[in-house]
Amino acid sequence: MNILFIEDDRMNRRVVGDMLDVAGATMVEAESAERGLEILDEQDFEMVLVDLRMPGMDGITAIRHIRARSDDKGMVPIIVVTADVAPDLRQRCLSAGADDVIFKPVAMDSLFDAIGRILAREAQGDGLIG
């Protein structure tokens, strides 16, 4: 599985990258939402992980840009990875087009559970939940 992780914090990218490596997944890093959208133009991914709070474009805006695409890349599953715990956060993310939300610090089981839920929905043909 090839996963794009859009996250401005290098240490968070490294930790998640190590977790995905254990599962045999390949992770491509983007240090900003703008760079993540450029990389998405250049490569195909089975999933995108995106932080919400980044300098420049935030994660919600990046999700909306991805969902606005008219090609297959606009349907790529998206998991928000955030430290934000606002009460309405999950609903705002899902309304923007995210498929799931997990919280920092990222635990391996929560990351793999979120990926598994998305893969199970895709296998059932249910597609996006947002």
Side-chain angles (χ1 to χ4, degrees):
M1 175 174 270
N2 195 23
I3 297 174
L4 173 62
F5 188 21
I6 304 171
E7 161 70 68
D8 62 314
D9 185 275
R10 185 172 48 93
M11 184 56 70
N12 286 334
R13 291 192 313 263
R14 182 175 177 187
V15 168
V16 171
D18 288 347
M19 291 178 190
L20 292 172
D21 190 51
V22 167
T26 302
M27 186 183 88
V28 176
E29 302 177 19
E31 68 284 349
S32 70
E34 294 86 354
R35 181 66 186 130
L37 295 174
E38 290 172 1
I39 293 171
L40 188 61
D41 281 339
E42 300 163 359
Q43 298 180 46
D44 293 326
F45 296 95
E46 284 77 35
M47 195 164 295
V48 174
L49 307 177
V50 63
D51 184 26
L52 289 184
R53 299 195 186 274
M54 297 177 281
M57 183 186 300
D58 68 9
I60 294 283
T61 304
I63 292 167
R64 288 183 176 134
H65 277 275
I66 293 168
R67 292 296 180 238
R69 295 179 67 112
S70 60
D71 59 6
D72 287 344
K73 293 180 182 188
M75 297 299 291
V76 66
I78 300 172
I79 298 173
V80 170
V81 181
T82 186
D84 191 338
V85 293
D88 66 338
L89 174 83
R90 182 173 179 76
Q91 189 54 49
R92 284 190 297 125
C93 292
L94 296 177
S95 293
D99 294 279
D100 212 331
V101 179
I102 60 173
F103 298 93
K104 297 177 185 175
V106 177
M108 190 177 290
D109 61 340
S110 65
L111 176 62
F112 291 167
D113 286 350
I115 291 171
R117 284 189 298 271
I118 289 170
L119 294 176
R121 279 195 305 267
E122 287 184 340
Q124 294 172 349
D126 291 342
L128 302 174
I129 64 171

